[in-house]
Amino acid sequence: MKTFDESWYRVANQQLALRPGVDIRRQRFRGELWYVLHDPFANQFFRLRPAAYEFIARLRPGRTVQAAWEDTMTAVPDDAPGQEEAIRLLAQLYHGNLLRSNVAGDTGKLFERYRKRRSREVRGKLASIMFFRLPLFDPDDFLRRTLAPAKLLIGPLGALLWIAMVGYGLKVAADQFDELRMQTEGVLAPSNLPWLYLSLIVIKAIHEFGHAYACRRFGGEVHTMGIMFLIFTPVPFVDATASWNFRSRWQRILVAAAGMIVEVFVAAIAIVVWANTGGGVVHSVAYNMVFIASVTTLLFNANPLLRFDGYYILCDLLDMPNLHTRSARLARYWVERHAFGCRKAKCPEDKRGEKAILGSFFVASNIYKVLVFTGIILFVADRFLILGIVMLAVCAVSWVIRPLVRLVQYLSTSPVLARTRPRAVAVTLGFAAGLFALLWAVPFPHHFRAPGVVQSVDHREVFTEGAGFLREIRRPSGSWVAAGDPVIRLEDPELGWRIQAAEAQLSRAMAERQKARAEGAAIQPHERRVAAFRQSLDHLREVEQALVVRAPVAGRWICPRLEESLGLRLERGVPLGHVVQDEFRFSAAVPQQQAAELFTGRIHGVEVKIPGQAEHTLAVDRSVVIPAQQEVLPSASLGWRSGGDLATAAEDQTGRQAAEPFFEVRADLRRSDEVALVHGASGEIRFKLDREPLLRQWLRQLRQLIQKRYQI
């Protein structure tokens, strides 16, 4: 930064000073001393390095800017800001309404600057319409009067209580995880939406009061509370930015995390209530509170890539405030310096480690923002199409039109590009043209995938033919068996007693028949009794023989995890395993939006991969498309109920009824010594298509998505 500047005469004789009421605090970030200026009127914060503060601190009424700058040069000659830096610093403070001047009419200019700043804030709120905030009242007096009990909880006692309750809640969740997961399928049902919204309001109100009480606990003031329209859904919010003025970063971290801490505590209570109640309002609201606390915390509050709680926690943990702003400035410098050739561009960061962090954060945060907002728009449009279109229009204006307008203004008017403007325009146009050509004209590999399951070409499922306790697995899973070989033995002690009783009844009936024959009496009734008892005994012996389960055909006996059922009673008809041949095929379920590719003739390669063995690819000898839409999945493992990727009908208990029709593809697998094939193992089939430019692939996928979701 140069010491002298040709524009210095404009401010040299001005008499400027910080406005009364501006609060100044010292803070340390990554071992460096900074001064934080807090404007309580607008609740804004500004950071200054010590050398800049040395200059600002010497500004006072009756003293010129020139005199203050000369004193600073004398006091700290090595670190004092040059005239160019001093002008920029004064301009930032001026536009932030932190300076007052001896110039007449400065009060009017003060309010004019305030009006312009408010106008910028309103435009910013409209640009971020999905997170619009509406302040309503000042809660500080209420917080101050009710702070005493909160102090007890924001301390060691509260920490122990939190650990105990959350630990117990996690245990309950682990014990009933399957039931918890299954209930998520109905969380967006129309009948549940009122309870879901009620739970959202309660959880977010508790969340915001957690921030407010933590901020008040450490001496910060909380003067704004209201409603934030989160994706057009009104929820409470509180402004606890006074914590940014705390010297201790751990206090700042605790204030930022307090909402999530309280939210998790309430969720732990709710999960215990849910586990100990049956169906009803209390049960439903408790589950919805658990769902809201987990989903919103992971997607928004705890995520450091959006400007919510996790972002401010990350800033304090790294001792690097304003990650968003600083990363954007660094990215802009890299473009100006290396792409546009601005040799005089000054790097806003001087530490290599911080540059790496800021660069990574800039890329990750922008990618995540696009992904999250795209998912939100699709989620909303699925239920309210018009509202989804409005959100899409807002995002298009915010992310496409406004940046393009600003880019044009920057390229045409920015003084930074005064010497390199032709190069900057040429590089920008060249980059845009090259990117478009790359995406539209250059062919890239093209393929699509579908889930499926490995099946033996000839396989028989083995069931229990009678009821009994599983006592013995005579042939281990994976062994080769011949037709009729015993594989499982069940035991039924009651059946043995019934056979003994039947044998005794038969012996008695035969004795009575013999006696009647000797006495010359009619033996026909005795003959019928003997026949009935013999038939009953034969049936019981058949049931006894059925307790030994035999292989129906020759093949490989597969019974995974059957050992876990040893000693348990199994009813008749329970599946035990499969007898399979060594020839396998892959049955895949191709969703409708991709099924068109199956009939175009563009497929020139098919391969299959099995999870856990993904480093190896299975070749396919032949694949056949079943030429009719299917509704029953080849295996329940492909559906949501079993953790698969395909949606299943909510009312179906088997887990095989697909929510949408699909096309089945059967592929004959070529044997490979590197991949172990197991009947029933899930996997993925990949269809290779003709190479095609990426933009054309994306446009087709977008059309398919719109047609599937909205039938447009």
Side-chain angles (χ1 to χ4, degrees), residues 464 466-475 487-493 546-549 557 559-571 574-577:
T464 55
F469 293 92
L470 180 59
R471 293 303 184 197
E472 182 183 2
I473 301 176
R474 292 192 172 181
R475 302 299 295 270
V487 292
I488 299 293
R489 183 177 68 84
L490 304 176
E491 185 179 281
D492 187 357
L547 294 179
V548 177
V549 182
W557 166 237
C559 57
R561 302 177 63 179
L562 191 59
E563 294 85 354
E564 300 175 4
S565 300
L566 280 171
L568 300 180
R569 180 175 175 82
L570 304 179
E571 298 300 326
V574 173
L576 299 172

Side-chain angles (χ1 to χ4, degrees), residues 495 498 534-544:
L495 179 61
R498 292 170 62 191
R534 181 172 283 117
Q535 184 179 6
S536 177
L537 180 60
D538 291 343
H539 173 69
L540 291 175
R541 284 174 176 165
E542 289 177 1
V543 173
E544 183 181 36

Side-chain angles (χ1 to χ4, degrees), residues 28-199:
R28 289 191 173 273
F29 298 100
R30 300 181 74 85
E32 294 184 1
L33 179 64
W34 291 78
Y35 288 86
V36 178
L37 308 184
H38 177 214
D39 177 13
F41 178 68
N43 198 29
Q44 289 186 318
F45 296 84
F46 299 86
R47 290 191 314 140
L48 298 178
R49 292 186 179 275
Y53 178 73
E54 288 285 346
F55 169 61
I56 296 300
R58 286 172 167 77
L59 296 175
R60 61 179 63 94
R63 192 178 197 195
T64 64
V65 172
Q66 176 72 28
W69 180 73
E70 290 175 351
D71 285 353
T72 306
M73 292 292 291
T74 302
V76 283
D78 295 332
D79 299 323
Q83 290 181 351
E84 181 182 351
E85 184 178 358
I87 291 174
R88 189 170 66 248
L89 176 62
L90 291 174
Q92 291 174 347
L93 297 178
Y94 176 83
H95 289 293
N97 280 337
L98 294 180
L99 292 179
R100 64 174 181 174
S101 171
N102 65 324
V103 179
D106 184 65
T107 302
K109 293 182 179 179
L110 179 70
F111 282 101
E112 177 64 18
R113 294 196 303 271
Y114 175 75
R115 186 190 63 78
K116 291 181 179 179
R117 183 175 61 80
R118 292 295 298 171
S119 177
R120 290 196 303 270
E121 290 178 357
V122 170
R123 291 196 301 270
K125 288 180 178 180
L126 291 176
S128 58
I129 190 171
M130 285 187 282
F131 301 99
F132 182 77
R133 293 186 174 190
L134 180 64
L136 293 179
F137 62 93
D138 185 344
D140 196 66
D141 186 57
F142 171 79
L143 295 173
R144 181 171 44 81
R145 288 188 282 106
T146 57
L147 185 61
K151 285 185 176 181
L152 295 176
L153 297 177
I154 306 176
L157 177 63
L160 292 175
L161 180 63
W162 188 89
I163 292 172
M165 189 67 240
V166 172
Y168 182 64
L170 289 174
K171 178 184 180 302
V172 172
D175 292 341
Q176 305 192 37
F177 178 75
D178 291 337
E179 194 174 344
L180 269 172
R181 182 168 55 86
M182 288 179 60
Q183 196 165 339
T184 58
E185 296 181 8
V187 75
L188 295 178
S191 60
N192 188 60
L193 289 180
W195 302 118
L196 185 67
Y197 179 66
L198 175 63
S199 303

